[in-house]
């Protein structure tokens, strides 16, 4: 991409992320979900908990926005890396009225309709609990390698 194309892409992604933050503060799950790719390849890592697949994520997260309407969010973009015309990664720092420090990493892809959608999200905060295994209801492994393959490839997880 040229410098101008990359700058325009960063602006599009920044506008998408601002819309996501506004949707989070509106506490409307459907509005929030409109910023995510809704398929079984969607992946969320919350601190140390994994939600693989759209059905698992939406069923857990939707209720959070419905029942915690007093919580407000702030997200400040720290960095947007444009990987291609249709793929970007963003790192954000912010907080909420519940948690002083929150950190997000978002992988976004641009769909055929021209909209940027979050395909992978990692949210973390200081003091995360030691991993205890996947959330109840986590389904499938998404794009993860089974443990035997992890050891064989030398990839550590």
């Amino acid at each position: 991409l040229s410098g101008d194309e990359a700058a325009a892409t960063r602006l599009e992604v920044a506008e998408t992320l601002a819309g996501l933050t506004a949707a989070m503060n509106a506490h409307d799950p459907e509005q929030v979900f409109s910023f995510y790719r809704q398929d079984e390849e969607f992946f969320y890592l919350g601190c140390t908990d994994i939600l693989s697949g759209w059905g698992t994520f939406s069923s857990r997260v939707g209720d959070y926005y419905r029942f915690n309407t007093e919580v407000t969010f702030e997200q400040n973009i720290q960095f947007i890396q444009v990987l291609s015309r249709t793929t970007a990664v963003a790192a954000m720092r912010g907080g909420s009225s519940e948690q002083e420090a929150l950190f997000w990493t978002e992988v976004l892809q641009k769909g055929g309709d021209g909209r940027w959608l979050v395909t992978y999200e990692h949210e973390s905060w200081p003091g995360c609990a030691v991993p205890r295994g996947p959330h109840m209801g986590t389904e499938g492994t998404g794009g993860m390698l089974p443990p035997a393959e992890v050891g064989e490839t030398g990839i550590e997880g």
Side-chain angles (χ1 to χ4, degrees):
L1 294 175
S2 72
D4 289 343
E5 290 173 313
T9 300
R10 277 192 291 279
L11 181 60
E12 288 177 12
V13 170
E15 289 171 350
T16 297
L17 295 172
L20 173 59
T21 303
M24 292 165 67
N25 286 322
H27 305 288
D28 177 354
E30 297 311 313
Q31 187 180 356
V32 171
F33 293 162
S34 73
F35 289 90
Y36 291 86
R37 187 174 78 189
Q38 300 180 19
D39 61 23
E40 287 309 307
E41 293 298 314
F42 177 79
F43 190 82
Y44 172 85
L45 176 60
C47 204
T48 57
D49 294 324
I50 295 170
L51 298 175
S52 181
W54 180 251
T56 303
F57 175 79
S58 62
S59 67
R60 305 279 297 202
V61 173
D63 284 344
Y64 177 84
Y65 289 105
R66 280 185 203 93
F67 300 120
N68 294 284
T69 57
E70 74 288 350
V71 177
T72 57
F73 294 90
E74 177 185 346
Q75 295 179 312
N76 301 300
I77 297 169
Q78 302 297 299
F79 180 76
I80 297 174
Q81 182 178 16
V82 177
L83 302 176
S84 73
R85 284 180 171 78
T86 60
T87 308
V89 177
M92 296 181 294
R93 170 179 271 175
S96 74
S97 52
E98 279 187 330
Q99 181 59 254
E100 189 174 306
L102 291 170
F103 307 92
W104 292 267
T105 302
E106 310 279 3
V107 176
L108 298 98
Q109 290 184 322
K110 191 172 191 176
D113 62 358
R115 294 183 59 236
W116 286 92
L117 298 173
V118 175
T119 63
Y120 169 94
E121 182 171 77
H122 178 198
E123 181 181 3
S124 62
W125 49 90
C128 289
V130 174
R132 62 172 193 242
H135 275 295
M136 294 181 304
T138 298
E139 298 170 5
T141 59
M144 298 184 307
L145 296 172
E149 290 182 41
V150 171
E152 292 167 11
T153 62
I155 298 171
E156 296 180 18

